[in-house]
Amino acid sequence: MLPLSSLLRTCWLFSLLLFIPATLFAQQSETVLDSALQIEKPKLKLSKPARAALLSAALPGLGQYYNGRGWAVKVPVIYGIGTTLGYLVLSTHGEYRRFREGYLALEDDNPNTQLSPLLEGRTSDQLLRSRDTFRRNRDFYIIMLLVLYALNVGEATTAAHLNDFDINDNISFKIKPYTDQLQGQPLMGFSLQVPLFKGQYK
């Protein structure tokens, strides 16, 4: 029987012999995996319209500023209409809450409930109609605010697309000879080329 110290030494050497190859294999596998990931890693490139749409979605008017054409007029219009609609949403919501609380105060059959002095003399039907009117108006203004937000994104995207079009006053077209074959017979003619994008047919 081996002494305890010899047995421990043998086990330690055996573990060391197993650990070194496993460590080397793991490092090699990590290197191969890292190089494979670097090769396969795609680069995300956004087009100008997509970038303008994302900027306008993040902050209204930022896509128009990115496009650069007419942003000094478009951005104040967007924020002017947006501020007006936001004010109308808040004011109509305040009126809706006031008439709702007045209606609830009139209908709760509690003598201790105080009705707002501005609503005194109104019946519960009048309060209910006013509450519904202000709620309808508030919802309409919220929808208009969302429409303005969508138009802001759509305008930035469309303007970015149109930036690639040639809008020169001197838009010319080219007539070039055209040859083809139809059932083995040569065909000759002319082709008309109209440049729609900047740098096309140069």
Side-chain angles (χ1 to χ4, degrees):
M1 187 173 177
L2 287 171
L4 184 60
S5 60
S6 299
L7 185 61
L8 288 174
R9 193 178 301 120
T10 306
C11 290
W12 182 79
L13 286 172
F14 184 70
S15 302
L16 189 63
L17 289 173
L18 288 177
F19 178 72
I20 291 173
T23 306
L24 292 174
F25 178 74
Q27 288 177 351
Q28 187 178 4
S29 301
E30 279 185 17
T31 306
V32 171
L33 184 62
D34 287 345
S35 61
L37 287 174
Q38 285 177 1
I39 291 170
E40 295 176 6
K41 193 174 181 181
K43 290 185 178 179
L44 183 63
K45 289 187 74 175
L46 292 175
S47 62
K48 285 184 179 180
R51 200 172 298 154
L54 286 174
L55 288 172
S56 278
L59 180 65
L62 194 58
Q64 283 76 8
Y65 178 77
Y66 170 76
N67 289 332
R69 186 175 293 170
W71 70 269
V73 175
K74 295 174 185 176
V75 173
V77 167
I78 290 170
Y79 278 95
I81 297 174
T83 304
T84 304
L85 288 173
Y87 169 77
L88 290 172
V89 167
L90 293 175
S91 62
T92 50
H93 180 67
E95 291 297 312
Y96 157 72
R97 288 187 61 184
R98 186 161 67 91
F99 279 96
R100 183 190 64 180
E101 289 167 6
Y103 174 75
L104 292 174
L106 205 61
E107 291 292 313
D108 68 353
D109 295 329
N110 186 356
N112 296 325
T113 304
Q114 296 277 331
L115 187 64
S116 172
L118 297 173
L119 302 179
E120 286 180 358
R122 301 194 186 208
T123 64
S124 60
D125 287 338
Q126 289 175 333
L127 293 174
L128 189 63
R129 279 197 300 270
S130 298
R131 182 203 68 177
D132 292 342
T133 300
F134 282 113
R135 180 176 59 189
R136 188 167 51 249
N137 291 343
R138 179 203 62 186
D139 295 345
F140 172 74
Y141 294 135
I142 290 173
I143 291 171
M144 293 304 295
L145 203 55
L146 293 174
V147 168
L148 176 68
Y149 178 79
L151 286 175
N152 149 68
V153 175
E155 195 281 329
T157 309
T158 307
H161 274 295
L162 291 177
N163 279 345
D164 289 336
F165 281 91
D166 191 356
I167 55 173
N168 253 335
D169 293 337
N170 185 17
I171 295 180
S172 57
F173 57 87
K174 294 183 180 180
I175 299 176
K176 290 189 173 183
Y178 174 78
T179 58
D180 200 355
Q181 284 194 357
L182 180 64
Q183 296 179 353
Q185 299 293 326
L187 292 176
M188 296 186 68
F190 294 97
S191 67
L192 178 66
Q193 295 180 343
V194 180
L196 296 178
F197 297 97
K198 293 178 181 178
Q200 195 175 11
Y201 305 136
K202 281 189 176 178

